[in-house]
Amino acid sequence: MSAGINGAHFWLPSKALPTNKAELEIGQPIECVTTAVNDGAQSATLRAHPKAVYEALTRSGNLAFTSLVPGMLVNCVVDKKVENGVLVNFLG
């Protein structure tokens, strides 16, 4: 698995894949949660079961703007359509 972090390795065991794993394609994005981290090896073990991903979603009360990183999944609500996209509200 690649998460876009140089020097870090991510492992998604077969038993941690969703039940429809036969439908997965090489290079396909997949939502995962981290289940274990090994700092010494710069590696993390992931899980992709939909229930685990849903339960791991960020909650606006636990997150500061300075904690946001590219690729982070956040809950948001569309506030307004604009010419080149949409404005959303999150973090409160």
Side-chain angles (χ1 to χ4, degrees), residues 28-88:
Q28 172 185 341
I30 184 170
E31 293 179 337
C32 300
V33 295
T34 304
T35 58
V37 175
N38 182 329
D39 289 329
Q42 290 186 299
S43 66
T45 304
L46 307 174
R47 185 171 182 198
H49 290 292
K51 184 178 178 188
V53 171
Y54 173 78
E55 291 173 351
L57 288 175
T58 56
R59 305 290 187 250
S60 59
N62 301 339
L63 187 65
F65 185 77
T66 55
S67 301
L68 294 174
V69 295
M72 178 181 276
L73 182 62
V74 295
N75 293 329
C76 61
V77 176
V78 174
D79 184 44
K80 181 180 182 181
K81 285 185 178 181
V82 292
E83 184 178 323
N84 59 347
V86 294
L87 295 174
V88 297

